[in-house]
Amino acid sequence: MDNIIVLHRDELSEIIHESVMNALRAFKEEENAPDSEFYTRKEVAAKWHVDEITVWRHEKLGDIHSVRRGRRVLYLKEEIDNYDYKAHSHNNTSL
């Protein structure tokens, strides 16, 4: 049987507000990080020994996240360095 949680409108509003503020704070921190904390798509492809389209595919599948700075697509070094590409490689090439 499913559990039902009952919240007052003000409680729900506060939970949503806190969640949005936390997400915005994290987004601003990423946006303000210096470029030295990022890899370009080309650098990620070289690191993984794959084509740039493979990096794009992993981004579209939600495996990795990018930050856009103008026309550039950047990937947090910490996320890429901690990502096990071989364990997450997809056989599906339908994207």
Side-chain angles (χ1 to χ4, degrees):
M1 186 168 173
D2 292 328
N3 294 329
I4 297 175
I5 298 174
V6 178
L7 296 174
H8 187 272
R9 180 184 295 169
D10 293 337
E11 292 171 318
L12 180 58
S13 178
E14 182 64 26
I15 290 170
I16 293 171
H17 175 77
E18 287 178 20
S19 296
V20 169
M21 293 306 292
N22 287 338
L24 284 173
R25 213 172 288 116
F27 176 76
K28 285 181 181 179
E29 287 174 7
E30 274 186 11
E31 283 293 308
N32 292 329
D35 284 350
S36 62
E37 295 182 21
F38 293 95
Y39 288 123
T40 63
R41 184 174 288 154
K42 188 175 194 173
E43 291 171 327
V44 174
K47 182 176 179 62
W48 289 350
H49 307 288
V50 297
D51 196 295
E52 289 180 46
I53 195 71
T54 302
V55 177
W56 172 85
R57 187 175 300 120
H58 280 269
E59 177 187 348
K60 295 304 170 196
L61 290 170
D63 296 338
I64 59 175
H65 303 94
S66 66
V67 175
R68 302 214 185 267
R69 289 209 175 153
R71 296 183 67 193
R72 297 183 321 162
V73 178
L74 303 172
Y75 303 87
L76 279 170
K77 282 187 176 182
E78 182 178 355
E79 180 179 11
I80 298 301
D81 291 343
N82 292 326
Y83 180 75
D84 185 0
Y85 165 73
K86 292 185 181 188
H88 292 89
S89 60
H90 298 277
N91 293 328
N92 181 2
T93 58
S94 61
L95 281 180

